[in-house]
Short mmCIF file of all heavy atoms in Angstrom, two decimals:
data_model
loop_
_atom_site.label_atom_id
_atom_site.label_comp_id
_atom_site.label_asym_id
_atom_site.label_seq_id
_atom_site.Cartn_x
_atom_site.Cartn_y
_atom_site.Cartn_z
N ARG S 19 0.81 -1.20 0.00
CA ARG S 19 -0.07 0.00 -0.01
C ARG S 19 0.87 1.27 -0.02
O ARG S 19 0.59 2.23 -0.65
CB ARG S 19 -0.88 0.02 1.24
CG ARG S 19 -1.77 -1.14 1.40
CD ARG S 19 -3.12 -1.05 0.67
NE ARG S 19 -3.07 -1.42 -0.74
CZ ARG S 19 -4.03 -1.31 -1.62
NH1 ARG S 19 -5.16 -0.88 -1.24
NH2 ARG S 19 -3.88 -1.71 -2.85
N LEU S 20 1.98 1.21 0.76
CA LEU S 20 2.80 2.40 0.88
C LEU S 20 3.59 2.61 -0.49
O LEU S 20 3.71 3.70 -0.95
CB LEU S 20 3.88 2.19 1.95
CG LEU S 20 3.24 2.30 3.42
CD1 LEU S 20 4.28 1.94 4.41
CD2 LEU S 20 2.59 3.62 3.69
N ARG S 21 3.94 1.54 -1.15
CA ARG S 21 4.62 1.63 -2.39
C ARG S 21 3.62 2.15 -3.47
O ARG S 21 4.06 2.96 -4.35
CB ARG S 21 5.17 0.27 -2.87
CG ARG S 21 6.47 -0.10 -2.24
CD ARG S 21 7.18 -1.27 -2.95
NE ARG S 21 6.31 -2.53 -2.84
CZ ARG S 21 6.42 -3.32 -1.91
NH1 ARG S 21 7.29 -3.18 -0.92
NH2 ARG S 21 5.75 -4.49 -1.87
N LEU S 22 2.35 1.78 -3.40
CA LEU S 22 1.44 2.22 -4.38
C LEU S 22 1.11 3.74 -4.13
O LEU S 22 0.98 4.49 -5.09
CB LEU S 22 0.06 1.46 -4.18
CG LEU S 22 -1.02 1.85 -5.13
CD1 LEU S 22 -0.56 1.67 -6.62
CD2 LEU S 22 -2.27 0.90 -4.92
N ARG S 23 1.06 4.08 -2.83
CA ARG S 23 0.91 5.47 -2.48
C ARG S 23 1.97 6.35 -3.13
O ARG S 23 1.80 7.42 -3.76
CB ARG S 23 0.93 5.74 -0.97
CG ARG S 23 0.77 7.20 -0.57
CD ARG S 23 1.35 7.44 0.89
NE ARG S 23 2.78 7.07 0.90
CZ ARG S 23 3.53 7.09 2.06
NH1 ARG S 23 2.99 7.44 3.13
NH2 ARG S 23 4.81 6.81 1.95
N ASP S 24 3.28 5.95 -3.04
CA ASP S 24 4.40 6.68 -3.55
C ASP S 24 4.35 6.70 -5.06
O ASP S 24 4.67 7.67 -5.71
CB ASP S 24 5.66 5.94 -3.12
CG ASP S 24 5.97 6.14 -1.64
OD1 ASP S 24 5.38 6.99 -0.98
OD2 ASP S 24 6.77 5.35 -1.06
N GLU S 25 3.86 5.63 -5.69
CA GLU S 25 3.74 5.58 -7.17
C GLU S 25 2.68 6.58 -7.61
O GLU S 25 2.93 7.25 -8.64
CB GLU S 25 3.41 4.18 -7.65
CG GLU S 25 3.39 4.01 -9.17
CD GLU S 25 3.00 2.59 -9.58
OE1 GLU S 25 3.00 1.70 -8.71
OE2 GLU S 25 2.85 2.41 -10.73
N VAL S 26 1.55 6.60 -6.94
CA VAL S 26 0.56 7.55 -7.31
C VAL S 26 1.06 9.04 -7.23
O VAL S 26 0.85 9.81 -8.17
CB VAL S 26 -0.69 7.43 -6.35
CG1 VAL S 26 -1.64 8.59 -6.57
CG2 VAL S 26 -1.41 6.13 -6.65
N LYS S 27 1.81 9.35 -6.23
CA LYS S 27 2.38 10.60 -6.07
C LYS S 27 3.34 10.93 -7.21
O LYS S 27 3.33 12.08 -7.68
CB LYS S 27 3.14 10.75 -4.76
CG LYS S 27 2.25 10.84 -3.46
CD LYS S 27 3.01 11.04 -2.24
CE LYS S 27 2.19 11.20 -0.98
NZ LYS S 27 3.01 11.39 0.19
N ALA S 28 4.11 9.98 -7.61
CA ALA S 28 5.16 10.23 -8.62
C ALA S 28 4.59 10.36 -10.01
O ALA S 28 5.12 11.07 -10.82
CB ALA S 28 6.16 9.08 -8.54
N LEU S 29 3.50 9.59 -10.21
CA LEU S 29 2.97 9.42 -11.63
C LEU S 29 1.84 10.42 -11.92
O LEU S 29 1.63 10.61 -13.14
CB LEU S 29 2.59 8.04 -11.89
CG LEU S 29 3.62 6.98 -11.94
CD1 LEU S 29 3.05 5.67 -12.34
CD2 LEU S 29 4.78 7.39 -12.84
N CYS S 30 1.19 10.98 -11.01
CA CYS S 30 0.02 11.81 -11.26
C CYS S 30 0.44 13.10 -12.12
O CYS S 30 -0.37 13.63 -12.74
CB CYS S 30 -0.67 12.25 -9.96
SG CYS S 30 -1.80 10.94 -9.35
N ALA S 31 1.72 13.49 -11.91
CA ALA S 31 2.14 14.70 -12.68
C ALA S 31 2.50 14.40 -14.17
O ALA S 31 2.72 15.30 -14.96
CB ALA S 31 3.26 15.35 -12.02
N GLN S 32 2.59 13.12 -14.45
CA GLN S 32 3.06 12.74 -15.89
C GLN S 32 1.88 12.63 -16.75
O GLN S 32 0.71 12.56 -16.32
CB GLN S 32 3.77 11.42 -15.85
CG GLN S 32 5.08 11.38 -15.09
CD GLN S 32 5.96 10.19 -15.30
OE1 GLN S 32 5.62 9.39 -16.18
NE2 GLN S 32 6.94 10.02 -14.52
N TYR S 33 2.11 12.67 -18.06
CA TYR S 33 1.17 12.56 -19.11
C TYR S 33 -0.07 13.49 -18.88
O TYR S 33 -1.22 13.08 -18.65
CB TYR S 33 0.67 11.13 -19.24
CG TYR S 33 1.75 10.16 -19.40
CD1 TYR S 33 2.02 9.25 -18.41
CD2 TYR S 33 2.54 10.24 -20.53
CE1 TYR S 33 3.11 8.34 -18.62
CE2 TYR S 33 3.64 9.37 -20.71
CZ TYR S 33 3.94 8.42 -19.74
OH TYR S 33 4.98 7.55 -19.84
N PRO S 34 0.08 14.80 -18.78
CA PRO S 34 -0.94 15.75 -18.41
C PRO S 34 -2.06 15.72 -19.37
O PRO S 34 -3.22 16.00 -19.09
CB PRO S 34 -0.23 17.15 -18.37
CG PRO S 34 0.99 16.97 -19.21
CD PRO S 34 1.43 15.57 -19.02
N PHE S 35 -1.82 15.33 -20.63
CA PHE S 35 -2.90 15.35 -21.67
C PHE S 35 -4.00 14.27 -21.30
O PHE S 35 -5.12 14.49 -21.58
CB PHE S 35 -2.39 14.97 -23.09
CG PHE S 35 -1.99 13.60 -23.33
CD1 PHE S 35 -2.88 12.69 -23.83
CD2 PHE S 35 -0.73 13.14 -22.96
CE1 PHE S 35 -2.57 11.36 -24.04
CE2 PHE S 35 -0.44 11.77 -23.18
CZ PHE S 35 -1.22 10.93 -23.72
N VAL S 36 -3.66 13.24 -20.54
CA VAL S 36 -4.59 12.30 -20.08
C VAL S 36 -5.55 12.95 -19.16
O VAL S 36 -6.85 12.75 -19.16
CB VAL S 36 -3.91 11.05 -19.35
CG1 VAL S 36 -5.00 10.11 -18.84
CG2 VAL S 36 -3.13 10.33 -20.39
N GLN S 37 -5.03 13.85 -18.27
CA GLN S 37 -5.93 14.46 -17.23
C GLN S 37 -6.86 15.46 -17.91
O GLN S 37 -7.88 15.84 -17.43
CB GLN S 37 -5.11 15.17 -16.17
CG GLN S 37 -4.13 14.25 -15.45
CD GLN S 37 -3.27 15.04 -14.53
OE1 GLN S 37 -3.47 16.10 -14.13
NE2 GLN S 37 -2.20 14.35 -13.98
N ASN S 38 -6.52 15.98 -19.15
CA ASN S 38 -7.31 16.94 -19.85
C ASN S 38 -8.27 16.33 -20.80
O ASN S 38 -9.04 17.11 -21.51
CB ASN S 38 -6.31 17.88 -20.61
CG ASN S 38 -5.48 18.72 -19.65
OD1 ASN S 38 -5.82 19.00 -18.56
ND2 ASN S 38 -4.21 18.97 -20.10
N ILE S 39 -8.43 15.07 -20.86
CA ILE S 39 -9.39 14.41 -21.68
C ILE S 39 -10.75 14.67 -21.10
O ILE S 39 -11.02 14.21 -19.96
CB ILE S 39 -9.16 12.91 -21.89
CG1 ILE S 39 -7.83 12.75 -22.71
CG2 ILE S 39 -10.31 12.30 -22.58
CD1 ILE S 39 -7.44 11.23 -22.87
N PRO S 40 -11.68 15.34 -21.84
CA PRO S 40 -12.96 15.67 -21.23
C PRO S 40 -13.88 14.52 -21.10
O PRO S 40 -13.61 13.44 -21.76
CB PRO S 40 -13.60 16.70 -22.24
CG PRO S 40 -12.91 16.36 -23.53
CD PRO S 40 -11.56 15.88 -23.19
N ARG S 41 -14.95 14.56 -20.26
CA ARG S 41 -15.75 13.45 -19.98
C ARG S 41 -16.44 12.90 -21.21
O ARG S 41 -16.74 11.70 -21.31
CB ARG S 41 -16.79 13.88 -18.86
CG ARG S 41 -17.72 12.65 -18.42
CD ARG S 41 -18.46 13.11 -17.24
NE ARG S 41 -17.53 13.35 -16.06
CZ ARG S 41 -17.05 12.41 -15.27
NH1 ARG S 41 -17.41 11.15 -15.46
NH2 ARG S 41 -16.32 12.69 -14.24
N GLU S 42 -16.70 13.83 -22.18
CA GLU S 42 -17.42 13.27 -23.41
C GLU S 42 -16.52 12.36 -24.27
O GLU S 42 -17.04 11.76 -25.22
CB GLU S 42 -17.91 14.42 -24.23
CG GLU S 42 -16.88 15.34 -24.69
CD GLU S 42 -16.73 16.64 -23.77
OE1 GLU S 42 -17.09 16.49 -22.51
OE2 GLU S 42 -16.29 17.64 -24.23
N ARG S 43 -15.23 12.35 -23.94
CA ARG S 43 -14.29 11.38 -24.63
C ARG S 43 -13.85 10.29 -23.71
O ARG S 43 -12.86 9.61 -23.99
CB ARG S 43 -13.13 12.12 -25.24
CG ARG S 43 -13.41 12.87 -26.47
CD ARG S 43 -12.23 13.32 -27.22
NE ARG S 43 -11.76 14.69 -26.81
CZ ARG S 43 -10.53 14.94 -26.36
NH1 ARG S 43 -9.66 13.98 -26.25
NH2 ARG S 43 -10.27 16.17 -26.03
N VAL S 44 -14.64 10.02 -22.67
CA VAL S 44 -14.46 8.82 -21.83
C VAL S 44 -15.61 7.85 -22.16
O VAL S 44 -16.75 8.05 -21.98
CB VAL S 44 -14.59 9.15 -20.29
CG1 VAL S 44 -14.42 7.93 -19.51
CG2 VAL S 44 -13.49 10.24 -19.96
N VAL S 45 -15.13 6.64 -22.74
CA VAL S 45 -16.10 5.64 -23.25
C VAL S 45 -16.16 4.54 -22.27
O VAL S 45 -15.12 3.86 -22.00
CB VAL S 45 -15.61 5.12 -24.63
CG1 VAL S 45 -16.66 4.24 -25.25
CG2 VAL S 45 -15.44 6.40 -25.57
N GLY S 46 -17.35 4.33 -21.74
CA GLY S 46 -17.54 3.24 -20.69
C GLY S 46 -17.28 3.74 -19.33
O GLY S 46 -16.86 4.97 -19.17
N ASP S 47 -17.46 2.92 -18.25
CA ASP S 47 -17.39 3.42 -16.88
C ASP S 47 -16.67 2.33 -15.96
O ASP S 47 -16.57 2.78 -14.70
CB ASP S 47 -18.72 3.89 -16.38
CG ASP S 47 -19.81 2.82 -16.46
OD1 ASP S 47 -19.43 1.65 -16.70
OD2 ASP S 47 -20.89 3.12 -16.18
N SER S 48 -16.35 1.20 -16.39
CA SER S 48 -15.76 0.23 -15.56
C SER S 48 -14.91 -0.81 -16.30
O SER S 48 -15.20 -0.92 -17.57
CB SER S 48 -16.81 -0.47 -14.74
OG SER S 48 -17.72 -1.27 -15.51
N GLY S 49 -14.07 -1.49 -15.62
CA GLY S 49 -13.22 -2.45 -16.28
C GLY S 49 -11.76 -2.03 -16.45
O GLY S 49 -11.30 -1.16 -15.81
N SER S 50 -11.09 -2.57 -17.44
CA SER S 50 -9.71 -2.20 -17.76
C SER S 50 -9.71 -0.93 -18.57
O SER S 50 -10.52 -0.68 -19.37
CB SER S 50 -9.01 -3.29 -18.58
OG SER S 50 -8.88 -4.44 -17.89
N LEU S 51 -8.86 0.00 -18.23
CA LEU S 51 -8.79 1.31 -18.73
C LEU S 51 -7.65 1.44 -19.80
O LEU S 51 -6.55 1.16 -19.50
CB LEU S 51 -8.60 2.43 -17.71
CG LEU S 51 -8.58 3.85 -18.19
CD1 LEU S 51 -9.87 4.22 -18.93
CD2 LEU S 51 -8.33 4.74 -17.02
N PHE S 52 -7.95 1.85 -21.02
CA PHE S 52 -6.98 2.12 -22.03
C PHE S 52 -7.06 3.56 -22.49
O PHE S 52 -8.21 4.14 -22.62
CB PHE S 52 -7.27 1.18 -23.25
CG PHE S 52 -7.16 -0.25 -23.05
CD1 PHE S 52 -8.28 -0.85 -22.51
CD2 PHE S 52 -5.97 -0.94 -23.17
CE1 PHE S 52 -8.24 -2.24 -22.28
CE2 PHE S 52 -5.92 -2.29 -22.93
CZ PHE S 52 -6.99 -2.98 -22.47
#
């Protein structure tokens, strides 16, 4: 759990374009995410 916490902190700042994808371009709501 602690390693996962550190990974979340380290990776959330990467690939900012993913964070900017609007909800209308999110297809589906559960399962594996691509």
Side-chain angles (χ1 to χ4, degrees):
R19 304 273 83 182
L20 292 175
R21 284 195 294 271
L22 182 56
R23 177 204 61 181
D24 293 339
E25 185 180 349
V26 168
K27 288 182 177 180
L29 293 184
C30 278
Q32 293 192 14
Y33 308 114
F35 74 93
V36 175
Q37 300 175 15
N38 295 330
I39 294 176
R41 186 168 294 276
E42 58 264 26
R43 284 195 268 124
V44 179
V45 185
D47 56 11
S48 64
S50 294
L51 178 62
F52 299 87

